[in-house]
Amino acid sequence: MGIVIPFNHVIVEVHCLYGLVESQEDGTIPEYCRYGVKNPGFHCLKNNCPYVGHAPASHEIAFSGDNGEVENEDWIGFGGDMEPEIYSEIKDVELKELWKEVCKEKIQEAYAEYMLRSKLKEE
């Protein structure tokens, strides 16, 4: 039996902090800076870039491309007009559970539709 490696998918929001502090403006741009400053990606985390910042991307559904990076129009995060007008912790929890339920259903629907349209699986 082969080695089983545990894994998980983690969605994080990655920030480029280059130039945020005046003393850093003349800092050396790392050679691994794939897309230029102010265009962060996985490469920043992989290389432990001194200018990288990150935060959890909670309650988001997204499509990532070849590099596992999500473009501006390819994600929806719970918030804004999805939140209750008058804040209530109970209502907020209920709405996030509803969002989770809808997202999981849509992910399964997308998979089933893809398999049907791609003709990779006989129905």
Side-chain angles (χ1 to χ4, degrees):
M1 181 186 247
I3 297 173
V4 177
I5 300 174
F7 70 94
N8 201 349
H9 290 83
V10 177
I11 299 178
V12 294
E13 188 175 276
V14 179
H15 309 274
C16 179
L17 304 176
Y18 181 86
L20 189 65
V21 179
E22 287 183 27
S23 63
Q24 290 181 344
E25 286 189 19
D26 293 329
T28 305
I29 297 172
E31 62 183 53
Y32 52 79
C33 196
R34 190 177 208 165
Y35 310 116
V37 291
K38 303 297 179 196
N39 291 298
F42 177 76
H43 57 282
C44 304
L45 298 172
K46 179 180 177 184
N47 292 286
N48 198 23
C49 180
Y51 306 113
V52 72
H54 55 82
S58 305
H59 308 290
E60 292 193 1
I61 184 170
F63 173 79
S64 63
D66 292 343
N67 296 318
E69 296 171 2
V70 180
E71 298 296 326
N72 292 336
E73 302 296 320
D74 294 339
W75 62 274
I76 299 173
F78 181 88
D81 60 351
M82 298 169 80
E83 296 174 328
E85 285 188 31
I86 299 172
Y87 182 79
S88 157
E89 188 173 337
I90 293 170
K91 187 65 173 173
D92 190 60
V93 169
E94 288 174 9
L95 290 173
K96 285 177 182 171
E97 281 299 314
L98 174 60
W99 176 239
K100 178 180 177 180
E101 180 184 320
V102 169
C103 289
K104 286 187 172 195
E105 287 174 9
K106 295 302 176 183
I107 290 167
Q108 289 304 313
E109 285 178 24
Y111 174 77
E113 182 177 343
Y114 170 80
M115 293 305 283
L116 181 67
R117 290 172 57 181
S118 67
K119 298 181 173 115
L120 292 174
K121 182 178 176 184
E122 297 294 323
E123 288 292 322

